[in-house]
Amino acid sequence: MDTHRLADNIKHLAGWLLVTFAAAALGAWASQDAPQFYAQLDKPEWAPPAGVFGPVWTVIYLLMALAAFLVWRTRGFSTAPRTLGLYLVQLAANALWSWLFFGWHLGAAAFAEVLVLWALILATTVAFWKVRRVAGVMLLPYLAWVTFASALTFACWQRNPQLLG
């Protein structure tokens, strides 16, 4: 690979990392008080401690950005606009959940939205898989985590109507 192409790949990888972690930062902004709020919730016994979420999400966001980069590198944005557009839509939905649950304390809306997010992640995973199998595989931990998060969102909403009304 020539140095120009390497520099171009690095620039585009950085772009996908930036876009993905910008969505993460937007969600984190809504979650500034999340540790205190999470501590107040009546949670099921299978709920992880608050300290687990940050490291897990960091790895997931990294895998997401790498997967998007691989799809872009294989097809480019002009030849995969629906696939990469779907990725961007699910990123927005990902950030919205944090606002609904942690920012605005809307349990029912957060649960409904996480189900939409799950469907968007599944669609993105399938679309990525069709372009580049490894990119689809890289989204499987994200799909698994949001499956778990959906159950946790529902359980917390049901157990805490006074906090997530």
Side-chain angles (χ1 to χ4, degrees):
M1 179 180 303
D2 64 47
T3 56
H4 175 69
R5 185 165 175 184
L6 178 61
D8 192 50
N9 279 334
I10 290 170
K11 178 180 78 172
H12 284 95
L13 174 58
W16 285 108
L17 287 164
L18 180 68
V19 166
T20 302
F21 280 95
L26 188 58
W29 185 23
S31 305
Q32 292 176 23
D33 298 324
Q36 297 85 352
F37 182 68
Y38 189 71
Q40 293 176 31
L41 294 174
D42 175 21
K43 297 175 287 299
E45 59 282 348
W46 45 268
V52 168
F53 293 97
V56 168
W57 275 114
T58 299
V59 170
I60 287 172
Y61 283 122
L62 180 61
L63 288 170
M64 290 165 59
L66 291 171
F69 168 73
L70 289 175
V71 168
W72 170 85
R73 192 167 157 229
T74 302
R75 291 269 177 92
F77 205 88
S78 63
T79 59
R82 288 186 186 144
T83 302
L84 293 170
L86 186 58
Y87 177 79
L88 296 173
V89 169
Q90 69 78 30
L91 266 182
N94 179 301
L96 177 59
W97 182 90
S98 296
W99 285 93
L100 291 170
F101 192 87
F102 289 118
W104 302 321
H105 304 166
L106 299 173
F111 179 64
E113 197 276 346
V114 79
L115 296 178
V116 171
L117 174 61
W118 187 91
L120 288 168
I121 296 165
L122 179 61
T124 305
T125 301
V126 170
F128 275 27
W129 185 282
K130 289 178 181 177
V131 173
R132 186 102 187 253
R133 184 168 289 176
V134 69
V137 169
M138 292 172 91
L139 293 184
L140 292 177
Y142 181 27
L143 185 63
W145 185 251
V146 172
T147 300
F148 173 75
S150 299
L152 185 57
T153 299
F154 181 79
C156 288
W157 167 46
Q158 293 299 298
R159 291 168 166 251
N160 298 278
Q162 72 289 0
L163 294 174
L164 289 166

